[in-house]
Amino acid sequence: MSKRPSMAELLTISPAGLYCEAGDFHIDPWKPVARAVITHGHSDHARPGSAAYLTAERGVAIVEARTGGAVEGIAYGESQRMGNVTLSLHPAGHILGSAVVRVERDGEVWVVTGDYKADPDPTCAQFEPVRCHTLITECTFGLPIYRWPDASEVFAQMNAWWRAAAAEGKTAVVFSYALGKAQRVLAGVDASIGPIRTHGAVEAMNDRYRSAGVALPPTSPVMSGRVEPGSLVIAPPSAGRSPWMRRLGDTTTAFASGWMMVRGRRRQRSVDRGFVLSDHVDWPQLLDAVAESGAERVLPTHGNTEVVARWFREQGLESQPLPTRFSATPEDDEE
C-alpha cells in the first residue's frame, strides 16, 4: 500500500462501539444505532434494536434471525457508497456469511476483520486478505502457543472416538457452538458411522445453512424419547448442564473448540475428550493476515491485545489495542 494519508481517524470508538463518522454507520455496534454494518451473525456482533442493518448477502437470513430487524445484503466485493466513504465486504472464513469490512475515503483504507480464520471450511467462503493502511484485527487466540492442527487430523480423531463409542453402545455427544462450529463438525465427520441427532438450537441453524445451499449430512432433532445407542449428538455447550442430557442414555462427551488446546479448559468443561477445532485465526494465521494486508498500523482487539500490539510494535509497525466490551474467552454458546 502507498503511505497512509494524514487525516482524521476514519473509524473511532463511540459509546455504541466502532463508528465511522464520514459514513455515519457503526460496525458490530454494542447498542442500538441508526445504521449497523454487521460482520457476522454471532450474538456479540449482531445485536437487536438498530434501525437498519447491512451485511454480506450470504448472512442475511442469520442476521435477520439474530436481530429481528430489516437486513440489507450485498455481495462479497460489491462496493457501496455510504456518506463520504466507500464500503465493501469480503469473505472472512469464520461462519456462513461472515465478512471483513473495507472502508475507503480519499485513498485511505481501513479494514475491520471481525472474527476470521484462514483454514479451509466447506460451510463458508474462504477468507480473503484485503490490502489496507490500518487493520483492526481480532486476536482471540493471539499468542504463539495457539497453532491449530490440520482439520483433517481432528476429524479423523473425532470419527475414531465416535466409532469406539458406538462399539460400546454409547451415544457420542459433541458440544459445539450452535452457529458455525456445529455445521463445520457436521460437514467434517463420517456420516456413515451412525445416525446424527441434534439439539434444537443446532437444527435451527442447520436449516439456514441448507437453505443457503451448504451441503450437510442428514440430521434429526432430539425431540423426545431416548436416542439410539451409537448415535452422534451435536449440542450447544449449555445443553451439557441441562436435564436435556437425560434423553441421551449412556454417553461419552467431547467439546470442539480452539480452547481445547488448553488442558485446564478441558477440565473446566468436564468432558471426556477435547477436539482442537477453531473458527478463529491462530498465531501464524494472524501474522500472515497482517503481512498480507500491507497495513502500516495494526489495532488488535478482542483477545490478548496488549501482547499482540507490543509484538507488532517490535516489528516496526504502529500498533495499540482497540477496546471492546466483550470477553475473549466466551463461556457459553459462541466462540
Side-chain angles (χ1 to χ4, degrees), residues 235-300:
S238 58
R241 304 184 294 270
S242 74
W244 181 85
M245 286 292 291
R246 296 172 189 161
R247 304 175 181 181
L248 308 183
D250 190 10
T251 63
T252 181
T253 58
F255 198 97
S257 169
W259 297 115
M260 294 300 99
M261 183 163 277
V262 181
R263 185 167 299 175
R265 287 275 176 176
R266 293 199 292 269
R267 288 197 300 268
Q268 186 180 15
R269 290 287 183 179
S270 300
V271 291
D272 301 314
R273 286 289 301 268
F275 296 107
V276 179
L277 188 70
S278 179
D279 290 332
H280 295 257
V281 289
D282 63 3
W283 180 250
Q285 291 176 25
L286 173 63
L287 301 191
D288 287 347
V290 171
E292 290 168 346
S293 76
E296 58 193 68
R297 180 166 59 167
V298 179
L299 308 179

Side-chain angles (χ1 to χ4, degrees), residues 98-287:
S98 58
V100 168
V101 182
R102 180 185 188 273
V103 182
E104 179 175 4
R105 181 188 60 179
D106 299 333
E108 180 180 12
V109 179
W110 286 50
V111 163
V112 180
T113 66
D115 293 342
Y116 69 115
K117 71 173 180 295
D119 282 340
D121 179 344
T123 68
C124 61
Q126 177 70 30
F127 165 71
E128 295 179 3
V130 180
R131 302 283 289 178
C132 61
H133 296 100
T134 298
L135 178 68
I136 298 176
T137 176
E138 64 112 342
C139 59
T140 305
F141 294 98
L143 290 175
I145 62 168
Y146 293 112
R147 297 169 187 269
W148 307 142
D150 190 279
S152 64
E153 297 175 7
V154 176
F155 284 117
Q157 296 167 4
M158 194 178 294
N159 288 330
W161 167 77
W162 179 13
R163 286 192 186 92
E168 297 175 1
K170 295 182 177 180
T171 299
V173 184
V174 176
F175 297 115
S176 60
Y177 305 104
L179 170 57
K181 184 64 65 57
Q183 291 72 39
R184 190 180 179 195
V185 169
L186 279 169
V189 295
D190 179 359
S192 70
I193 296 174
I196 302 178
R197 308 291 296 276
T198 55
H199 186 278
V202 172
E203 195 64 20
M205 292 302 167
N206 290 349
D207 291 343
R208 291 187 171 85
Y209 269 64
R210 290 184 176 113
S211 295
V214 177
L216 298 176
T219 58
S220 58
V222 178
M223 300 297 290
S224 60
R226 295 179 69 84
V227 170
E228 310 92 310
S231 297
L232 177 70
V233 174
I234 301 177
S238 58
R241 304 184 294 270
S242 74
W244 181 85
M245 286 292 291
R246 296 172 189 161
R247 304 175 181 181
L248 308 183
D250 190 10
T251 63
T252 181
T253 58
F255 198 97
S257 169
W259 297 115
M260 294 300 99
M261 183 163 277
V262 181
R263 185 167 299 175
R265 287 275 176 176
R266 293 199 292 269
R267 288 197 300 268
Q268 186 180 15
R269 290 287 183 179
S270 300
V271 291
D272 301 314
R273 286 289 301 268
F275 296 107
V276 179
L277 188 70
S278 179
D279 290 332
H280 295 257
V281 289
D282 63 3
W283 180 250
Q285 291 176 25
L286 173 63
L287 301 191

